[in-house]
Amino acid sequence: MSSSARPSWVADAVFYQIFPDRFARSERVPKPARLEPWAAPPSRRGYKGGDLWGVVEHLDWLTELGINALYLNPVFHSASNHRYHTFDYLHVDPMLGGDAAFEALLAACGERGIRVVLDGVFNHTGRGFFAFHDVLENGDDSPWLDWYTVAGLPLDAYGGTPNYAAWWNDPALPKLNTENPRVREYLMQVAEHWVGRGAHGWRLDVPEEIATEGFWEEMRVRVRAVDPDAYLVGEVWGPAGDWVGDGSRFDGVMNYPMTELNLRFAAGDRIDEAIVEPVNLDLVPTLDASGYRDAVAAHLDAYPWEAHTANLNLLGSHDTARVLSMVGSDAASVILAATLMVTFPGAPCVYYGDEIGLEGGHDPGSRAGFPWDDRAGWNTDLLEAFRTLIALRRRSATLQRGAYRPLAAEGLLYVFVRESAEERVVVAVNAGDGAASVEIPEGTGTPLWGSGECREGAVTVPGRSAGVWRV
């Protein structure tokens, strides 16, 4: 496989995103004394003590949900609960169980056919990273001084605006000088190292912040030399044609534009703008079916088809509010949006806890501990919908790889078909409150999921419902 080819397994994948400190806590990992109570509202800086052994112990839950790929938020040694403040790229944080827990997770996932993608934070480090720490201690005498872009010494690492380049001027996140060939080589070796250890790819943090010419192209070539099937997906929030167009950088991106389109259509005026606003989901207004159809068509025209099949589609993440909170706690809106996500080209991704209806605002609200011991509070309707939709996706090669074609858009009823040489799958989503019907050029369909009818060239769907048929 050439380095520009997309890995074929991604189209078959259903991802589950895990924030390791908040998913599950295992007794196998010794814990510090001062942990935040698991069920308490999450804080920005507190640790709850989730770990990778906890993930291993809950893999049966994930396989029952239908998951066959994990995206883990950063796991490397860090001084933050989210671990985007890396200070050792070559070892898993001991609070997560260390390297041994990671090896056990890879082995256990391998037995279940689950791939594991890591989060690569290569734009910036934490203040505890060895090179930055040396500059803090030795100033102009440090051999690592040119690993960063320093405007003055001594470093003002704990004041207001730092006197060195930092991500969004946050002094805790000094930006690496990737123009320095030694820095660049170090990061390339980190990326190679973990893929060589068995990771199946990288989700790459804030790639637009690294402007060094050829950086991402080189990383792709080198990672794919280690594993020709490694998946590289970039965190690019806006239009990403330059990032995925020719396959020289990334296979796909986190598909936030489709997140917004799906939520704006599925939820309409139920969206809580005060919750959504900090996340920049403001590209489009509320959409009717024809507006959604046109926006989706423009989105599909923006990238090559191969890039769409390798995008990571999502309803929310650690960087958004919880999807149920974004849509005003309306579970029907989540189910409609999930239907659109799971049946769209690309790999669907469920953020841990969304499948049981966790709620919360932006960071830290969207990073609560998974309530394993409070199942009475789970939204079982959501859980059943996610399980059924994921199973539908997993058993349909047409939903994984088939072409996408709109069939009808009237009022708040949108109908499209995914089609291959083997079958056609019709999907209808009615975001309106009342039942709606529309004529389509397809024939009578066999129900696969949801509500309504597809027969004699027409689709009828109850209000706030969706249906899927094989025709």
Side-chain angles (χ1 to χ4, degrees), residues 17-26 29 31-32 34-55 72-75 78-84 93-97 351-352 364 367-370 372:
Q17 180 188 347
I18 289 179
F19 193 97
D21 186 64
R22 307 295 164 80
F23 181 64
R25 189 163 60 193
S26 172
V29 182
K31 300 294 190 296
R34 298 185 68 249
L35 287 178
E36 187 175 277
W38 190 261
S43 67
R44 192 174 294 274
R45 297 192 177 208
Y47 292 85
K48 290 189 180 294
D51 55 68
L52 297 187
W53 279 113
V55 179
L72 301 178
N73 284 108
V75 299
S78 172
S80 63
N81 58 43
H82 49 74
R83 295 181 172 84
Y84 284 91
D93 198 308
M95 283 186 66
L96 296 180
Y351 182 47
Y352 84 98
R367 304 176 181 185
F370 195 109
W372 297 107

Side-chain angles (χ1 to χ4, degrees), residues 202-466:
W202 291 97
R203 176 268 190 189
L204 295 158
D205 189 59
V206 295
E208 293 168 292
E209 303 283 342
I210 296 181
T212 300
E213 184 176 357
F215 180 91
W216 295 115
E217 290 84 349
E218 180 182 356
M219 181 165 287
R220 180 176 188 82
V221 169
R222 292 183 60 165
V223 166
R224 297 297 284 275
V226 177
D227 179 0
D229 273 334
Y231 179 42
L232 296 175
V233 57
E235 184 206 10
V236 181
W237 284 67
D242 290 344
W243 293 93
V244 297
D246 62 2
S248 65
R249 291 175 171 177
F250 303 145
D251 299 304
V253 291
M254 299 182 77
N255 204 356
Y256 284 108
M258 277 305 303
T259 300
E260 177 164 13
L261 296 184
N262 290 341
L263 295 181
R264 292 289 180 188
F265 174 59
D269 59 10
R270 295 169 179 80
I271 285 182
D272 187 332
E273 298 292 348
I275 292 277
V276 169
E277 187 272 333
V279 195
N280 296 318
L281 291 185
D282 56 4
L283 300 177
V284 296
T286 297
L287 295 166
D288 62 10
S290 61
Y292 178 79
R293 175 199 61 204
D294 295 346
V296 170
H299 180 72
L300 288 172
D301 286 344
Y303 313 153
W305 176 254
E306 294 78 12
H308 287 294
T309 63
N311 278 341
L312 193 67
N313 299 325
L314 61 158
L315 298 181
S317 73
H318 66 292
D319 282 328
T320 72
R322 285 284 176 179
V323 61
L324 187 56
S325 296
M326 288 195 282
V327 299
S329 301
D330 182 59
S333 293
V334 177
I335 294 172
L336 296 182
T339 303
L340 293 168
M341 174 186 72
V342 169
T343 57
F344 196 74
C349 181
V350 179
Y351 182 47
Y352 84 98
D354 279 353
E355 76 276 19
I356 60 166
L358 285 190
E359 294 202 57
H362 198 52
D363 173 28
S366 60
R367 304 176 181 185
F370 195 109
W372 297 107
D373 297 328
D374 183 25
R375 300 198 176 205
W378 293 10
N379 188 314
T380 55
D381 290 340
L382 273 180
L383 178 57
E384 181 59 27
F386 271 99
R387 279 179 172 161
T388 307
L389 284 166
I390 290 169
L392 176 65
R393 168 83 183 205
R394 289 285 307 275
R395 67 174 179 259
S396 173
T398 300
L399 288 179
Q400 295 164 6
R401 302 168 184 277
Y404 181 104
R405 178 168 55 91
L407 293 178
E410 292 187 11
L412 290 173
L413 176 60
Y414 177 67
V415 188
F416 64 94
V417 63
R418 299 293 305 279
E419 51 194 350
S420 65
E422 291 74 29
E423 65 174 350
R424 289 171 295 163
V425 177
V426 168
V427 181
V429 174
N430 181 7
D433 292 325
S437 298
V438 66
E439 292 186 1
I440 61 171
E442 310 300 316
T444 298
T446 302
L448 297 176
W449 179 79
S451 305
E453 294 183 326
C454 175
R455 50 191 266 180
E456 300 174 358
V459 164
T460 302
V461 185
R464 308 294 295 155
S465 298

Side-chain angles (χ1 to χ4, degrees), residues 149-165:
T149 303
V150 176
L153 291 168
L155 296 179
D156 185 8
Y158 295 92
T161 302
N163 55 352
Y164 49 87

